[in-house]
């Protein structure tokens, strides 16, 4: 409180809430998406996922428990939405039955 007035913190200008766990803030890591309350960049976790590391390893070992599993899941979902959904993907063909495969 200052002079009897309570100040309410406002989000930094340019700060963008990308999800419940992810933010892009020009004051943090040059505006690259990071996990809230950390300087762990989303691309680092997506790289871990891409290299086949388990979510348990990513959350608890690699990043020492600083990001929850739900944050990793959110990062993968947002990446999927950003890269896959804007493009029209052909419908998947129904899986063939074993008898159909034998005839081919």
């Amino acid at each position: 409180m200052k002079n009897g007035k309570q100040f309410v913190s406002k989000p930094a200008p340019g700060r963008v809430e990308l999800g419940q766990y992810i933010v892009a803030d020009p004051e943090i890591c040059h505006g690259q998406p990071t996990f809230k309350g950390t300087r762990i960049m989303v691309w680092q976790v997506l790289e871990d996922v891409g290299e086949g590391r388990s979510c348990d390893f990513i959350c608890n070992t690699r990043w020492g428990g600083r990001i929850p599993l739900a944050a990793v899941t959110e990062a993968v979902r947002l990446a999927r939405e950003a890269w896959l959904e804007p493009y029209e993907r052909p419908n998947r063909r129904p899986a063939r039955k074993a008898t159909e495969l034998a005839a081919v």
Side-chain angles (χ1 to χ4, degrees):
M1 286 182 112
K2 187 175 182 181
N3 298 332
K5 294 182 181 179
Q6 184 176 2
F7 289 98
V8 177
S9 65
K10 296 179 183 176
R15 179 181 170 104
V16 178
E17 303 278 330
L18 299 171
Q20 183 179 352
Y21 299 97
I22 299 173
V23 64
D25 186 333
E27 300 292 321
I28 302 168
C29 298
H30 306 285
Q32 292 192 31
T34 58
F35 293 93
K36 290 180 183 178
T38 75
R39 292 187 174 271
I40 302 169
M41 290 177 271
V42 171
W43 71 262
Q44 294 172 295
V45 170
L46 291 174
E47 191 172 76
D48 288 339
V49 170
E51 291 177 358
R53 293 185 176 100
S54 72
C55 288
D56 180 58
F57 176 85
I58 293 168
C59 294
N60 299 316
T61 303
R62 170 97 155 105
W63 300 110
R66 291 181 289 162
I67 54 174
L69 173 61
V72 175
T73 303
E74 181 177 84
V76 171
R77 181 183 53 78
L78 289 173
R80 183 195 73 225
E81 289 173 5
W83 288 99
L84 296 179
E85 290 184 3
Y87 303 101
E88 285 288 326
R89 290 182 294 175
N91 290 332
R92 289 184 158 193
R93 291 185 288 177
R96 293 184 181 182
K97 295 180 182 175
T99 54
E100 292 174 349
L101 291 174
V104 175

